[in-house]
Amino acid sequence: MNASDEFSALWLSVQLAAITTVLLILIATPLAWWLSGTRSRARPVIEATVALPIVLPPTVLGFYLLVLLGPYGAIGRWWVELTGDTLSFSFTGLVIASCVYSLPFAVQPLQHAFEALGRREIEAARTLGATPLDAFFSVAVPQSARGFLNAIVLSFAHTLGEFGVVLMVGGNIPGETRTISIAIYDRVESLDYTAAHTLSATLLVFAFAAMLAMYLVNYRGRRNA
Amino acid sequence: MFTHIVRSLRLAVTWWSLGLFLVPVTSAGAELRVAAASNFGAALAELAADFESRTGHRLRVSLASTGKLYAQVVNGAPFDVLLAADAERPELLERSGTGVPGTRFTYAVGALVLWSRDPSLAGGDCREALSATAIGHIALANPETAPYGAAARDYLRRAGLWTDVEARLVYGENIAQTLQFVASGNARAGFIAAAQALDPRLPGATCRWEVPAELHEPLEQQALLLQHAEDEPAAAEFLAYLRADAARDIIARHGYLLPAR
């Protein structure tokens, strides 16, 4: 593996993490908002489902995704008819897998942020004539900025570090599904420890920087509050 | 208070170690740790059962790609015997002193099979899936780490098909995952070990084609006694068993060619 392969693996992971994070914020925001306010009996069931990827081994997710996304699976069959290609072994498939895998890392910080909000300001905005959407964006979102930051950093970092699921549904295709964690694994297996060190150290420094930034912001926020 | 806690902990540890000591006492023979290439799994399960019933020893088998096993052995994994999928890595281990010199031999010669369950390939020999105009993914094991993957790449290059299929290739982490890709239908066709193609649990194949042995580097699978087991007679016994007729019959039945004696 030469330097350009390593860069391409890193860049692929960054793209995957960025796209997954954007999609997850779009999915998780309404879900977390609903969860934070609902008294529905379905709430614990939904919460448990969202939390599953934290406790399930990636191999379980990877195995089910491989079965579901394959041409004989429920989603895969439909996708093959639509596009002529399988979802497994594709970047799109990895995006879907990553959204499942990192869902709790987006939903939980947002839900906690929304739960900590006073509902009174929102009700005040509503009585002043704001639509629910308006009230949400002008009152709830700015007050939950830290929750959003946490959700973004955690989803991004968690997706960047994804390994087991990608190994099982990715197929290790350079530039398409060979992410940085797979590239590191390959290097270790072929005893190319120099390249493995370079890639691993890059990931380590990035992960530490992301976590540090998040905790610094959280700490400042708490001190100012 | 503190003394009380420590005393209970010691009691717990004592019972636990008693449990550890009881295991070797109750089992008659030795316990061997065998690291084997993924493709040999099914054959080894049968060999292990036969060997255990003959000798009373017990085998603990770890399956992985040869590349991974090599890295584990080099880094001090406590295996007694290595059954690799190639000759290169056992040779490296023998030369570096990680294996016992003079114990290396070929226990099986692998055959490579192109396999598919895709209905559109039914009736043919699967090679249709390799043509420049064909669609669908072709699975092979990672050529950098898995010998069957290297043999598949060898064949594709020698047959002049590499550039036609390169963009459609997907790489299994080892030969077992490669089989999983093609058996689940996620890949349209794939290069697997002949031994795997015999597995009765597989869905029915719509086509299979044995890649002629002269079209790739020979898949000599070699065994090696590891330094860890130098003074373990049961390990040498197992290696001797692998060369005996009883074992050779089982190995041949699982789709391997046998090395000349």
Side-chain angles (χ1 to χ4, degrees):
Chain A
M1 188 189 264
N2 55 43
S4 83
D5 289 334
E6 284 161 18
F7 180 76
S8 120
L10 182 63
W11 177 231
L12 186 75
S13 284
V14 170
Q15 285 176 303
L16 179 66
I19 293 170
T20 303
T21 305
V22 170
L23 287 177
L24 273 180
I25 294 300
L26 292 178
I27 299 165
T29 306
L31 182 60
W33 180 252
W34 179 78
L35 282 173
S36 70
T38 186
R39 290 199 187 123
S40 159
R41 278 193 195 169
R43 175 179 165 160
V45 178
I46 307 280
E47 282 179 320
T49 312
V50 167
L52 276 180
I54 298 179
V55 291
L56 278 181
T59 39
V60 171
L61 292 179
F63 172 64
Y64 281 137
L65 283 168
L66 191 70
V67 172
L68 272 178
L69 302 184
Y72 303 99
I75 303 174
R77 191 183 313 147
W78 167 81
W79 186 263
V80 169
E81 272 172 29
L82 207 72
T83 65
D85 208 353
T86 55
L87 265 174
S88 40
F89 315 132
S90 72
F91 184 74
T92 316
L94 287 196
V95 170
I96 294 175
S98 306
C99 282
V100 175
Y101 176 72
S102 295
L103 185 66
F105 294 84
V107 172
Q108 292 188 348
L110 286 176
Q111 191 185 336
H112 294 147
F114 292 153
E115 278 167 354
L117 275 182
R119 293 267 156 167
R120 208 171 286 165
E121 286 95 331
I122 295 166
E123 276 156 25
R126 292 278 282 126
T127 48
L128 290 172
T131 63
L133 214 59
D134 214 8
F136 175 76
F137 280 110
S138 48
V139 180
V141 171
Q143 287 194 13
S144 317
R146 239 195 293 158
F148 276 96
L149 179 80
N150 287 354
I152 290 169
V153 172
L154 286 176
S155 308
F156 190 90
H158 192 241
T159 308
L160 202 68
E162 183 176 348
F163 173 69
V165 179
V166 180
L167 183 77
M168 288 192 74
V169 300
N172 201 354
I173 304 167
E176 178 82 18
T177 60
R178 181 181 292 165
T179 59
I180 181 149
S181 52
I182 302 286
I184 292 171
Y185 184 67
D186 266 6
R187 292 307 91 200
V188 174
E189 270 209 47
S190 29
L191 305 178
D192 185 355
Y193 291 159
T194 322
H197 274 310
T198 316
L199 289 170
S200 301
T202 311
L203 212 53
L204 182 71
V205 169
F206 170 80
F208 180 72
M211 290 300 108
L212 184 65
M214 190 179 82
Y215 282 109
L216 276 177
V217 171
N218 281 347
Y219 178 67
R220 291 227 177 97
R222 217 170 295 142
R223 246 191 349 194
N224 297 340
Chain B
M1 179 63 191
F2 183 72
T3 351
H4 183 72
I5 294 173
V6 171
R7 207 175 296 149
S8 341
L9 279 176
R10 273 188 67 182
L11 196 67
V13 170
T14 311
W15 278 108
W16 182 69
S17 0
L18 261 179
L20 282 185
F21 280 116
L22 280 176
V23 177
V25 172
T26 48
S27 76
E31 187 175 82
L32 290 179
R33 270 169 287 198
V34 179
S38 320
N39 77 78
F40 202 59
L44 186 54
E46 202 179 325
L47 290 168
D50 187 43
F51 178 71
E52 283 170 358
S53 71
R54 282 164 193 266
T55 61
H57 301 316
R58 277 182 13 90
L59 295 191
R60 256 167 57 185
V61 175
S62 306
L63 297 176
S65 72
T66 300
K68 185 169 356 182
L69 294 174
Y70 176 81
Q72 288 175 348
V73 168
V74 166
N75 288 294
F79 293 122
D80 300 314
V81 171
L82 172 71
L83 300 178
D86 67 356
E88 185 194 335
R89 288 179 181 83
E91 203 180 324
L92 281 172
L93 290 172
E94 186 185 31
R95 229 183 297 149
S96 70
T98 318
V100 179
T103 59
R104 184 168 58 88
F105 70 99
T106 303
Y107 63 92
V109 179
L112 189 66
V113 163
L114 182 61
W115 192 96
S116 174
R117 62 176 285 196
D118 187 327
S120 66
L121 293 171
D125 65 359
C126 290
R127 278 191 289 172
E128 204 183 311
L130 303 178
S131 82
T133 52
I135 52 151
H137 293 291
I138 307 295
L140 69 161
N142 187 345
E144 305 295 330
T145 52
Y148 280 83
R153 181 176 61 185
D154 241 13
Y155 160 69
L156 288 171
R157 284 195 174 145
R158 289 191 196 177
L161 295 165
W162 182 260
T163 48
D164 293 343
V165 295
E166 196 181 357
R168 297 190 284 124
L169 295 179
V170 294
Y171 300 98
E173 188 265 307
N174 56 46
I175 198 70
Q177 198 196 13
T178 309
L179 173 67
Q180 181 203 331
F181 282 163
V182 62
S184 65
N186 280 285
R188 191 174 179 216
F191 290 95
I192 60 174
Q196 294 174 302
L198 292 175
D199 194 314
R201 293 165 302 180
L202 278 187
T206 50
C207 64
R208 48 160 293 163
W209 178 64
E210 193 149 325
V211 181
E214 64 273 15
L215 293 182
H216 59 79
E217 287 295 316
L219 280 160
E220 264 188 61
Q221 306 201 177
Q222 292 201 332
L224 181 68
L225 182 66
L226 298 172
Q227 209 66 57
H228 187 261
E230 201 181 4
D231 303 317
E232 173 56 82
E237 221 178 303
F238 178 62
L239 288 180
Y241 164 76
L242 281 181
R243 297 175 194 249
D245 285 335
R248 283 167 70 95
D249 284 349
I250 294 175
I251 293 172
R253 208 155 5 92
H254 278 273
Y256 297 92
L257 307 170
L258 292 171
R261 274 211 254 230

